[in-house]
């Protein structure tokens, strides 16, 4: 009896998947389209003291706001898919072991990497630790992204010095955080009131 209903159920579940924002280049438009994301960002900011634009710029770089983003595959002999280059997954591209640390320390056992609020809270937690461990300001998107990519030990040992491409990417994250910050300042009060109609 359930068999005829299965395709419809699967379609309904697929429709529930969170789509990336229509205009990922504009933080105001992201939050207007997805007010729950703005609520999550404000909670993250209140909990960890991270300015909204920095983890949002990092998330843009990591996953383009795709809930189920995965890292590239390894290819055996150049063409046979052979696993992934890392265990990173979700909005924040958090690896298994780091996500487990977050859940144990701050996130709770129900936290999920494909949940936007959990992923953003994870990034706030990581930024807080980067400040504690390496003294990196939460406003320093360049330094925060290097911590995020290389890990706290790698950042401390300046592993990024051997990766000019990573420094370039971190500069892009810094530039995007600056743009996001300016955009957010222009609409923050409007969003706090609940939008145009309040």
């Amino acid at each position: 009896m359930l068999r005829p209903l299965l395709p419809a159920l699967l379609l309904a579940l697929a429709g529930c998947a969170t789509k990336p924002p229509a205009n990922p280049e504009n933080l105001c438009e992201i939050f207007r389209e997805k007010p729950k994301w703005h609520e999550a960002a404000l909670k993250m900011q209140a909990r960890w003291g991270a300015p909204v634009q920095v983890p949002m710029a990092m998330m843009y770089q990591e996953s383009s706001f795709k809930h189920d983003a995965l890292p590239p595959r390894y290819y055996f002999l150049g063409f046979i898919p052979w696993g992934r280059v890392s265990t990173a997954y979700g909005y924040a591209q958090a690896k298994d072991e780091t996500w487990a640390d977050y859940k144990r320390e701050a996130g709770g056992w129900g936290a999920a990497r494909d949940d936007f609020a959990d992923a953003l809270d994870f990034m706030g937690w990581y930024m807080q630790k980067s400040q504690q461990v390496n003294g990196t300001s939460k406003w320093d998107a360049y330094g925060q992204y290097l911590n995020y990519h290389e890990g706290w030990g790698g950042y401390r040992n300046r592993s990024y010095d051997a990766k000019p491409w990573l420094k370039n990417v971190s500069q892009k994250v810094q530039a995007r955080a600056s743009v996001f910050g300016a955009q957010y300042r222009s609409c923050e009060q409007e969003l706090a009131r609940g939008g145009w109609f309040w």
Side-chain angles (χ1 to χ4, degrees):
M1 292 295 291
L2 291 175
R3 199 168 291 171
L5 297 175
L6 195 56
L9 182 61
L10 290 174
L11 277 173
L13 289 172
C16 293
T18 304
K19 293 180 181 178
N23 184 1
E25 308 293 332
N26 189 304
L27 194 55
C28 294
E29 291 302 316
I30 291 171
F31 287 154
R32 285 178 187 132
E33 179 185 345
K34 298 178 181 289
K36 293 289 185 188
W37 284 22
H38 185 232
E39 290 175 21
L42 292 178
K43 286 179 183 176
M44 179 282 306
Q45 186 176 50
R47 186 178 190 192
W48 302 113
V52 167
Q53 65 268 20
V54 175
M56 289 296 286
M58 290 166 57
M59 187 179 284
Y60 177 103
Q61 181 61 43
E62 290 295 285
S63 69
S64 299
F65 303 115
K66 294 180 182 128
H67 74 283
D68 57 354
L70 289 165
R73 288 186 178 277
Y74 279 122
Y75 285 89
F76 180 64
L77 300 177
F79 64 93
I80 302 171
W82 200 266
R84 300 279 175 182
V85 299
S86 83
T87 61
Y89 176 70
Y91 286 110
Q93 287 295 278
K95 295 180 182 176
D96 288 354
E97 58 273 18
T98 317
W99 187 258
D101 289 342
Y102 161 72
K103 289 210 298 185
R104 187 177 61 254
E105 291 184 19
W109 293 108
R113 286 179 283 183
D114 57 2
D115 180 278
F116 177 83
D118 291 342
L120 195 66
D121 192 69
F122 166 82
M123 295 182 108
W125 167 82
Y126 200 99
M127 290 171 66
Q128 169 76 3
K129 299 269 281 194
S130 296
Q131 185 177 60
Q132 289 174 343
V133 173
N134 288 325
T136 309
S137 167
K138 293 170 195 162
W139 293 84
D140 176 9
Y142 179 84
Q144 282 288 345
Y145 188 74
L146 289 176
N147 272 278
Y148 197 75
H149 194 278
E150 297 297 277
W152 300 302
Y155 180 86
R156 193 164 50 249
N157 296 329
R158 300 184 66 90
S159 60
Y160 52 84
D161 281 337
K163 301 174 181 178
W165 62 268
L166 177 57
K167 290 183 175 182
N168 289 337
V169 171
S170 298
Q171 287 170 353
K172 289 180 182 177
V173 172
Q174 177 70 64
R176 186 169 305 283
S178 296
V179 170
F180 274 1
Q183 291 168 344
Y184 188 57
R185 286 189 293 275
S186 76
C187 65
E188 188 174 2
Q189 289 186 341
E190 168 213 315
L191 292 168
R193 290 194 303 269
W196 298 318
F197 305 109
W198 297 94

